């Protein structure tokens, strides 16, 4: 690992002092070859303790030798490097008038400067390695701390957990070091600078640096000291590093442990003792002499319990450093897991078993603290992941907080650990100029920085069983710098696999790389990955590093991906983009909370990229698409076979003994019978018939649906409660009830309207517009309108794929129509509308039964063959605010769409009308319900029910639907005025393979065909 020591010229440059008679040397933060000075070599994450008991407890708060420097620091923000208080690090400099800043903390989250969001590119002019000084704010941090007397004679190691983009460190006015890489720690030996009693530590933090050219991720460009600052008083002879190899042998039945210990040895050589514990039982205890600062211990462990995401079995490894007399000098412990990762038979295998990656990309984000994420939030993330059948995480696009990996080890997640490298702005340049050598991966002066970020990630995180892939970075292009890093990783750690795509989109090709182990494209569609799977010249297994772009109301077509994954052994899943929205919680002028994005701030140098691309919101409330993900990725599935039904175990490592099975018989959407099913013995990847027989119908005319479920037993899945549904399926056994055929009453007319009236109900249709003036029962108006509608409030995908422009005529058609005719024809009022002067015809035929139930038969006829496909086809009505409750028989309980309804169970659902809208980061289409047999809106005094002659697409909301198009913020959307009821024959799917080109549209089978269609429904009293 490169290690640079400051020269006089560099020191002068750092303080903007010119070198007389020479060309000024740029500061470290504008030299790509300089990225760290004065720091200790990187080592694995562990904590040293003074006793065996403390080491096993692994709680630094109980140690006499660990000191936290977190909390409030004195702070000053300067707009440019030239304006910074250059001498602030000197203990005599008066900072009493300064404000304070939290550590850990993000400056912009605490009101120091403004957050900037950039989806791709730099928030400063692209001119590497230079940084525009006018944009480069500098934060000056100072605090005092006390070195206790009992620290005497020990080495004082100060660690900055992560800070960026670059910083200098002083203790008591002595410059200790410099560091870049915003996502990895730097440890400094401050023994020579510190003294017993009161000390002053100072950090000068630069918002941008040359390293920022390698940190061009699509996230908030903010900065601060992101992780804890600590001081450890280590013994003079101490554990410097630990390397743990815990693999499997003997057909994956036995364990093989190898421990390499580096000792910072300033005294006589001693010994290292290692103890492997299973609970309190010692499975292995060995000692080895320290020779040349190193010791190695190895041993075999028969019958070990292996680690996988499904079986996260951990053991405790206690490591003790002993002096020449056998007295303990220092101890540490860590939890380790035994597992083997390999490619065999063209497949990624863990412990000899082919795995499927049911993964997500995860940014570190909190809506209040930005990049600082609490342990409680990390645990909530994993809890939600486990409940949604997620088994893998890519740390997009940088090494995460060390605690994240410990939790992944404990609860069972496969991790793709990614280096903090993305130079998307230069990748874009190579694409603009069609010259791949322009990216930083080809530039020799950037070689050391690339290698540094990769090697330090590996050295820090090498002992975590959860990490099965190393990633060299993201969207940076390729080149010799990445090839060198890839070869280094494979030589350093052959126990894991290496991933890297480099380019952002692979185009019309399969750009595999010889120095990585898997092919990891992003956003390749189902046809393209199927082609790859069928081509024998591509032997690498494929795992999509990003796919299923979940921006806003999205994640359509997701089932289609998994159908293809499960068809070809070479395809082993992927990582959804992404896990959590990057929205920030703010208050509007009325004090209402809303989801803020880049344009809600000054955003200097930023763009208007939407940031709501997670399957959960930034407060960790699941989006509706979360439930689709959970269903499609379920590791237990059911199928109808002849005769009966079978269960399929899609787990990779466990059988079905951890789960219970049950059935529910639904009639007309309600459970009429339930029962349990004996769980058969099914090995991973196997299937077996189910021993049960569905009961006979209770109502021979009812629509019958059988639901089969698999539930977790207590302790089956970490963080998942007993009874949680892991997998389910529904099987229709009969058709929905048919609408009765009834005789209609004759319409009457006035100069203004046609009217149908019967059974205490009245339907009036305006002669001038052809719209419903009112549908009323008992004198109470329940419905008005009935506007032909072909448009929806644009989703993020509609905007990103250009649909708002290419399909804009459908909005025009929805807002402007010509009444071609209205007449009483027999028992019907027939309304003929023309849209787009001969482009589309819509005919609505209204009738009414004797009980007052109105019926609409709607015919849609497109006339121009050049029209694009409509986004919806139906009628939009207004409803009174008093109808504030909703029940429906269809898919639910969450919103569903034509291409995102696998996770919706057909049943009777109910709730408040206000809860049907989901507050996406930006208001957009929301609330759709698919395969609806009937929907009822109710309130005090009754309500109405709409029933389809065929399954409908409906949407009911407690505000005018146009609000979703007119307002920018979630706080603007609230119940007011009339509600909206959309009764559609169909609405297009939401798409989501991408979010920025035509690939992001719903697949053709989920669009509305441009051909005539007829559908029908009734409006009557709720019963």
């Amino acid at each position: 690992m490169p290690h640079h020591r400051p020269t006089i010229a560099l020191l002068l440059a750092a303080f903007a002092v010119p070198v007389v008679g020479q060309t000024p040397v740029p500061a470290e933060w504008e030299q790509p070859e300089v990225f760290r000075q004065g720091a200790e070599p990187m080592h694995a994450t562990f904590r040293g303790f003074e006793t065996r008991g403390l080491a096993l407890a692994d709680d630094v708060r109980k140690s006499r030798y660990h000191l936290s420097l977190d909390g409030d620091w004195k702070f000053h923000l300067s707009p440019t490097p030239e304006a910074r208080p250059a001498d602030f690090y000197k203990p005599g400099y008066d900072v009493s008038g300064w404000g304070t800043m939290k550590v850990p903390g993000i400056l912009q989250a605490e009101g120091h400067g403004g957050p900037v969001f950039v989806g791709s590119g730099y928030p400063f002019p692209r001119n590497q390695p230079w940084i525009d000084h006018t944009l480069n704010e500098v934060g000056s941090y100072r605090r005092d701390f006390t070195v206790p007397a009992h620290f005497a004679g020990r080495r004082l190691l100060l660690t900055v957990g992560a800070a960026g983009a670059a910083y200098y460190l002083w203790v008591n006015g002595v410059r200790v070091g410099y560091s870049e890489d915003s996502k990895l720690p730097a440890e400094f030996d401050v023994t020579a600078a510190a003294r017993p009693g009161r000390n002053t530590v100072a950090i000068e933090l630069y918002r941008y640096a040359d390293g920022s050219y390698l940190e061009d991720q699509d996230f908030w460009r903010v900065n601060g000291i992101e992780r804890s600052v600590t001081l450890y008083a280590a013994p003079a002879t101490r554990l410097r590093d630990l390397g743990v190899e815990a693999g499997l042998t003997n057909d994956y039945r036995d364990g093989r442990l190898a421990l390499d210990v580096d000792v910072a040895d300033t005294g006589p050589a001693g010994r290292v003792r290692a103890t492997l514990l299973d609970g309190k039982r010692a499975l292995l205890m060995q000692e080895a002499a320290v020779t040349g600062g190193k010791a190695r211990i190895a041993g075999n462990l028969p019958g070990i319990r292996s680690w996988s995401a499904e079986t996260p079995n951990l053991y405790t490894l206690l490591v003790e450093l002993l002096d020449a007399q056998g007295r303990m000098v220092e101890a540490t412990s860590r939890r380790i897991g035994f597992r083997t990762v390999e490619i065999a038979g063209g497949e990624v295998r863990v412990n000899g078993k082919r795995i499927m990656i049911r993964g997500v990309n995860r940014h570190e984000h909190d809506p209040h603290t930005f990049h600082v994420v609490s342990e409680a939030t990390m645990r909530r993330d994993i809890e939600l992941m486990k409940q949604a059948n997620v088994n893998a995480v890519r740390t997009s696009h940088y090494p995460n907080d060390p605690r994240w990996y410990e939790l992944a080890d404990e609860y069972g997640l496969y991790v793709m650990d990614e280096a903090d490298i993305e130079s998307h702005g230069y990748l874009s340049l190579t694409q603009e100029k069609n010259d791949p050598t322009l990216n930083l991966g080809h530039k020799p002066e950037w070689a050391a920085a690339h290698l540094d970020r990769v090697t330090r990630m590996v050295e820090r995180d090498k002992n975590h069983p959860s990490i099965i892939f190393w990633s060299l970075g993201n969207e940076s292009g390729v080149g010799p710098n990445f090839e060198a890093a890839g070869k280094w990783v494979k030589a350093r750690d052959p126990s894991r696999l290496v991933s890297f795509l480099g380019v952002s989109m692979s185009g019309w090709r399969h750009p595999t790389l010889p120095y990585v182990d898997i092919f990891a494209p992003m956003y390749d569609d189902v046809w393209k990955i199927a082609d790859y799977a069928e081509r024998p010249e591509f032997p690498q297994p494929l795992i999509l590093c990003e796919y299923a772009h979940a921006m806003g109301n999205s994640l359509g077509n997701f089932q289609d991906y998994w159908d293809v994954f499960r068809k070809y052994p070479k395809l082993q899943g992927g990582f959804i983009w992404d896990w959590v929205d990057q929205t920030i919680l703010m208050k509007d002028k009325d004090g209402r909370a809303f989801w803020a994005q880049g344009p809600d701030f000054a955003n200097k140098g930023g763009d208007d990229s939407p940031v709501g691309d997670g399957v959960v919101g930034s407060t960790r409330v699941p989006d509706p698409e979360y439930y689709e993900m959970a269903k499609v990725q379920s590791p237990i599935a059911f199928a109808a076979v002849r005769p009966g039904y079978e269960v399929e175990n899609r787990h990779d490592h466990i059988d079905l003994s951890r789960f219970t099975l049950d059935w529910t018989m639904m009639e007309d959407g309600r459970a009429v019978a339930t029962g349990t099913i004996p769980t058969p013995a099914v090995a991973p990847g196997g299937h077996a018939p189910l021993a049960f027989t569905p009961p006979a119908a209770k109502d021979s005319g009812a629509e019958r649906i059988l639901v089969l479920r698999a539930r977790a037993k207590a302790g089956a899945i970490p963080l998942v409660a007993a009874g949680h549904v892991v997998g389910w399926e529904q099987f229709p056994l009969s058709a929905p009830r048919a609408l009765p055929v009834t005789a209609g009453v004759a319409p009457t007319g006035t100069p203004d309207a046609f009217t149908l009236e019967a059974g205490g109900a009245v339907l009036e249709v305006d002669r001038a517009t052809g719209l419903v003036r009112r549908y009323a029962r008992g004198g109470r108006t329940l419905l008005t309108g009935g506007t032909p509608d072909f448009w929806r409030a644009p989703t993020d995908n509609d905007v990103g794929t250009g649909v708002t422009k290419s399909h804009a005529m459908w909005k025009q058609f929805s807002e402007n129509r010509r009444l071609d005719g209205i007449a009483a024809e027999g028992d019907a009022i027939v309304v003929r509308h023309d849209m787009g002067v001969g482009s589309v015809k819509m005919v609505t035929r209204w009738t009414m039964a004797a009980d007052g139930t109105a019926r609409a038969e709607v015919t849609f006829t497109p006339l121009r063959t050049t029209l694009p496909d409509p986004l919806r086809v139906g009628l939009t009505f207004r409803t009174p605010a008093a109808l504030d409750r909703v029940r429906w028989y269809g898919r639910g309980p969450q919103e569903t769409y034509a291409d995102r309804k696998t996770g919706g169970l057909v049943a009777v659902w109910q709730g408040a009308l206000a809860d049907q809208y989901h507050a996406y980061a930006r208001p957009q289409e929301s609330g759709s319900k698919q395969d609806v047999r009937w929907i009822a809106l109710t309130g005090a005094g009754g309500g109405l029910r709409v029933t389809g002659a065929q399954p409908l697409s409906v949407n009911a909301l407690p505000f005018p639907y146009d609000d979703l198009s007119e307002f920018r913020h979630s706080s603007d959307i609230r119940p007011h005025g009339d509600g909206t009821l959309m009764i559609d024959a169909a609405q297009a799917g939401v798409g989501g393979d991408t979010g920025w080109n035509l690939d992001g549209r719903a697949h053709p089978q989920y669009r509305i065909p441009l051909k005539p269609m007829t559908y029908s429904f009734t409006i009557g009293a709720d019963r």
Side-chain angles (χ1 to χ4, degrees):
M1 181 178 65
H3 187 74
H4 300 274
R5 296 196 177 277
T7 65
I8 295 297
L10 290 179
L11 286 171
L12 291 171
F15 296 96
V17 177
V19 180
V20 178
Q22 300 180 23
T23 301
V25 177
E28 286 88 344
W29 48 271
E30 289 186 309
Q31 294 188 67
E33 302 93 336
V34 180
F35 38 80
R36 194 156 302 100
Q37 295 173 344
E40 297 293 298
M42 181 63 85
H43 59 74
T45 301
F46 69 93
R47 293 158 286 271
F49 293 92
E50 57 269 35
T51 70
R52 175 190 178 108
L54 287 173
L56 290 172
D58 196 23
D59 185 351
V60 295
R61 295 170 299 181
K62 297 178 180 178
S63 170
R64 299 177 68 231
Y65 295 108
H66 285 273
L67 183 65
S68 172
L69 299 185
D70 290 351
D72 289 338
W73 289 50
K74 285 291 186 178
F75 180 77
H76 177 81
L77 183 68
S78 304
T80 66
E82 291 72 22
R84 78 194 190 283
D87 294 334
F88 87 103
Y89 63 90
K90 298 178 178 178
Y93 191 96
D94 184 8
V95 298
S96 61
W98 286 12
T100 60
M101 177 61 202
K102 295 178 182 177
V103 173
I106 298 298
L107 299 181
Q108 294 76 21
E110 299 297 324
H112 301 290
V116 173
F117 192 92
V118 184
S120 171
Y122 300 109
F124 43 78
R126 184 177 59 194
N127 184 30
Q128 64 85 19
W130 312 110
I131 297 296
D132 184 342
H133 289 210
T134 66
L135 300 174
N136 203 10
E137 298 165 343
V138 179
S140 302
Y141 293 76
R142 265 243 329 244
R143 68 158 291 168
D144 292 341
F145 66 96
T146 299
V147 172
H150 64 269
F151 281 17
R154 301 175 75 91
R155 306 302 298 178
L156 301 184
L157 303 175
L158 191 151
T159 298
V160 179
Y167 61 91
Y168 297 91
L169 173 70
W170 295 265
V171 172
N172 296 328
V174 177
R175 177 169 154 171
V176 173
Y178 169 82
S179 185
E180 297 177 20
D181 191 334
S182 300
K183 297 296 183 178
L184 283 174
E187 182 181 73
F188 301 90
D189 188 334
V190 300
T191 309
R195 55 177 176 259
R198 183 175 176 178
N199 292 260
T200 298
V201 58
I203 295 176
E204 186 173 84
L205 185 75
Y206 288 73
R207 182 163 190 173
Y208 303 120
D210 55 76
S212 300
Y213 284 101
L214 297 178
E215 297 181 1
D216 190 20
Q217 294 92 348
D218 52 344
F219 67 164
W220 288 100
R221 311 304 172 90
V222 294
N223 76 318
I225 301 175
E226 295 189 13
R227 299 175 193 155
S228 290
V229 179
T230 59
L231 185 71
Y232 172 47
T237 299
R238 70 182 189 278
L239 298 168
R240 198 204 68 78
D241 196 10
L242 309 173
V244 179
E245 297 177 21
L248 299 174
T249 63
N250 193 19
D251 198 24
Y252 310 101
R253 290 191 297 268
D254 301 332
R256 173 67 178 171
L257 175 66
L259 170 66
D260 289 299
V261 181
D262 284 359
V263 176
D265 191 358
T266 59
R271 301 181 67 78
V272 169
R273 179 166 62 211
T275 307
L276 186 68
L277 297 165
D278 182 6
K280 295 184 178 180
R281 183 168 65 98
L283 303 182
L284 176 147
M285 181 182 291
Q286 287 190 17
E287 292 187 10
V290 177
T291 303
K294 297 183 181 298
R296 182 175 176 84
I297 291 173
N300 295 315
L301 298 126
I304 204 76
R305 298 191 311 278
S306 60
W307 186 98
S308 73
E310 296 167 6
T311 59
N313 297 307
L314 295 177
Y315 296 82
T316 299
L317 178 64
L318 175 68
V319 181
E320 299 169 274
L321 177 62
L322 311 176
D323 65 14
Q325 288 73 45
R327 294 171 299 197
M328 199 194 75
V329 177
E330 187 183 31
T332 191
S333 73
R334 66 163 293 103
R335 304 185 75 186
I336 68 169
F338 289 82
R339 57 104 183 95
T340 296
V341 183
E342 61 191 332
I343 291 181
E347 302 170 341
V348 175
R349 295 181 183 177
V350 172
N351 306 338
K353 303 292 186 181
R354 176 181 182 270
I355 64 169
M356 285 296 286
I357 295 296
R358 307 190 301 270
V360 293
N361 284 271
R362 173 184 175 270
H363 268 300
E364 291 183 310
H365 179 76
D366 181 277
H368 303 285
T369 56
F370 301 6
H371 293 175
V372 178
V373 180
S374 68
E375 181 174 333
T377 297
M378 295 182 206
R379 288 181 180 274
R380 179 59 176 159
D381 279 339
I382 295 178
E383 179 181 47
L384 287 167
M385 289 175 186
K386 301 297 279 190
Q387 291 173 357
N389 300 316
V390 170
N391 71 349
V393 175
R394 177 183 179 218
T395 65
S396 54
H397 298 291
Y398 39 79
N400 281 194
D401 187 304
R403 187 63 179 133
W404 175 255
Y405 304 90
E406 294 172 349
L407 295 173
D409 295 342
E410 179 179 357
Y411 296 120
L413 287 172
Y414 298 126
V415 174
M416 178 179 283
D417 201 9
E418 189 151 86
D420 188 14
I421 300 175
E422 179 171 346
S423 48
H424 204 153
Y426 276 92
L427 172 62
S428 298
L429 180 64
T430 70
Q431 294 165 338
E432 294 166 13
K433 304 292 187 181
N434 195 28
D435 181 357
T437 66
L438 296 176
N439 69 49
L440 304 187
H442 277 86
K443 296 189 178 301
E445 66 270 27
W446 286 92
H450 283 76
L451 188 61
D452 175 76
R453 288 169 182 252
V454 173
T455 60
R456 295 177 74 246
M457 170 187 70
V458 171
E459 295 297 350
R460 188 195 72 162
D461 297 338
K462 61 194 172 209
N463 294 333
H464 292 283
S466 57
I467 298 172
I468 65 172
F469 306 109
W470 300 115
S471 169
L472 306 180
N474 184 64
E475 292 183 298
S476 300
V478 295
N481 296 343
F482 288 106
E483 184 172 1
K487 290 179 177 178
W488 182 94
V489 175
K490 290 175 72 66
R492 175 67 179 86
D493 182 20
S495 72
R496 293 181 177 91
L497 304 178
V498 178
S499 173
F500 182 58
L501 174 66
V503 297
S504 57
M505 300 285 284
S506 54
W508 303 108
R509 59 198 177 101
H510 301 303
T512 58
L513 297 171
Y515 52 89
V516 300
D517 297 300
I518 61 173
F519 180 44
M522 56 173 64
Y523 306 109
D524 280 6
D525 59 32
V526 295
W527 300 277
K528 189 172 181 182
I529 63 176
D531 176 80
Y532 180 88
E534 292 172 349
R535 301 283 293 274
E537 66 267 35
F538 298 114
Q540 292 178 338
L542 182 151
I543 297 173
L544 289 159
C545 68
E546 295 177 21
Y547 79 116
H549 194 264
M551 183 69 72
N553 189 349
S554 188
L555 212 72
N557 320 316
F558 191 60
Q559 179 69 59
D560 299 333
Y561 266 114
W562 276 86
D563 289 343
V564 176
F565 288 157
R566 289 172 177 139
K567 181 178 179 181
Y568 297 101
K570 197 191 296 185
L571 307 182
Q572 293 188 250
F575 298 88
I576 293 169
W577 187 267
D578 60 359
W579 173 247
V580 60
D581 287 354
Q582 291 189 69
T583 51
I584 292 171
L585 267 178
M586 292 184 66
K587 296 287 184 70
D588 64 16
K589 58 182 175 57
D590 297 320
R592 298 186 302 259
F594 72 93
W595 304 118
Q597 305 192 66
D600 293 303
F601 302 93
N603 208 29
K604 187 175 182 181
D607 58 34
D608 60 356
S609 297
V611 302
D613 45 9
V615 294
V616 302
S618 60
T619 55
R620 274 54 180 187
V621 174
D623 286 344
E625 57 206 359
Y626 168 92
Y627 302 100
E628 182 81 356
M629 175 185 70
K631 172 66 168 63
V632 170
Q633 295 187 156
S634 172
I636 302 176
F638 300 91
V641 294
R642 293 187 178 181
Y645 302 88
E646 70 176 16
V647 63
E648 179 184 359
N649 182 12
R650 292 173 173 166
H651 287 98
D652 303 319
H653 292 96
I654 61 174
D655 61 26
L656 292 186
S657 61
R658 303 181 182 203
F659 306 93
T660 62
L661 307 180
D662 60 64
W663 60 268
T664 300
M665 183 59 68
M666 313 285 286
E667 292 189 1
D668 288 336
R670 291 184 170 85
V672 296
T674 61
T676 60
I677 304 172
T679 303
V682 186
H687 54 88
L690 298 177
F692 90 107
T693 302
K698 292 190 175 184
D699 182 344
S700 60
E703 178 183 15
R704 302 177 71 229
I705 296 175
L706 174 67
V707 182
L708 301 179
R709 296 181 177 91
R711 301 177 188 270
K713 293 180 180 179
I717 305 171
L719 298 176
V720 173
H724 176 79
V725 176
V726 175
W728 62 272
E729 194 52 80
Q730 55 192 345
F731 300 92
L733 304 183
S734 63
R737 290 182 186 267
L739 278 179
V741 177
T742 58
V745 300
T748 61
T750 68
D752 295 331
F754 284 102
T755 302
L756 292 167
E757 190 168 3
V762 60
L763 175 79
E764 290 183 1
V765 181
D766 190 283
R767 283 180 178 265
T769 64
L771 304 182
V772 175
R773 282 186 172 183
R774 65 182 179 120
Y775 174 74
R777 300 189 71 92
R780 183 184 183 208
T781 297
L782 300 174
L783 205 66
T784 62
T787 306
D789 205 339
F790 317 101
W791 190 247
R792 67 183 177 198
T795 65
D796 284 332
N797 286 339
D798 291 337
V799 175
T801 60
V803 165
T804 52
K805 295 180 180 179
S806 63
H807 289 55
M809 67 282 292
W810 290 110
K811 183 174 188 290
Q812 173 75 10
F813 294 168
S814 299
E815 295 172 348
N816 300 278
R817 72 203 66 84
R818 182 180 71 207
L819 181 63
D820 272 0
I822 180 170
E825 298 179 6
D827 64 351
I829 303 169
V830 180
V831 181
R832 294 177 170 83
H833 282 112
D834 176 279
M835 280 68 64
V837 289
S839 296
V840 175
K841 300 289 188 184
M842 186 85 101
V843 177
T844 306
R845 187 175 185 271
W846 290 103
T847 58
M848 181 174 282
D851 66 355
T853 298
R855 180 164 183 157
E857 184 176 281
V858 185
T859 299
F860 164 79
T861 307
L863 302 178
R864 295 181 187 269
T865 59
T866 56
L867 294 173
D869 51 296
L871 299 185
R872 64 165 15 110
V873 171
L875 302 180
T876 297
F877 297 89
R878 297 188 302 275
T879 57
L883 301 183
D884 59 0
R885 301 286 302 175
V886 62
R887 298 197 322 281
W888 73 97
Y889 177 24
R891 292 190 184 262
Q894 72 278 0
E895 65 182 28
T896 51
Y897 291 85
D899 57 357
R900 200 186 77 214
K901 64 181 183 180
T902 302
L905 177 67
V906 176
V908 174
W909 305 101
Q910 63 179 331
L913 192 60
D915 292 340
Q916 306 314 303
Y917 165 70
H918 181 75
Y920 292 102
R922 181 187 63 80
Q924 57 195 277
E925 157 63 34
S926 174
S928 172
K929 308 176 194 312
Q930 298 298 302
D931 298 329
V932 172
R933 282 67 166 158
W934 56 259
I935 184 171
L937 298 180
T938 60
L944 63 86
R945 176 179 291 204
V946 174
T947 305
Q950 66 293 300
L952 300 168
S953 171
V954 302
N955 202 339
L957 298 168
F959 48 78
Y961 185 77
D962 287 347
D963 286 5
L964 297 177
S965 298
E966 294 175 358
F967 293 115
R968 287 182 52 203
H969 295 134
S970 49
S971 61
D972 296 324
I973 306 301
R974 59 193 186 279
H976 75 98
D978 289 341
T980 300
L981 177 61
M982 299 173 128
I983 307 173
D984 297 336
Q987 184 186 161
V990 293
D993 285 1
T994 68
W996 54 87
N997 59 25
L998 288 177
D999 292 345
R1001 287 219 61 202
H1003 290 182
Q1005 64 268 35
Y1006 306 117
R1007 302 176 194 173
I1008 300 173
L1010 194 67
K1011 63 183 182 181
M1013 71 174 73
T1014 297
Y1015 77 110
S1016 182
F1017 59 89
T1018 62
I1019 306 171
D1022 181 41
R1023 61 184 191 277

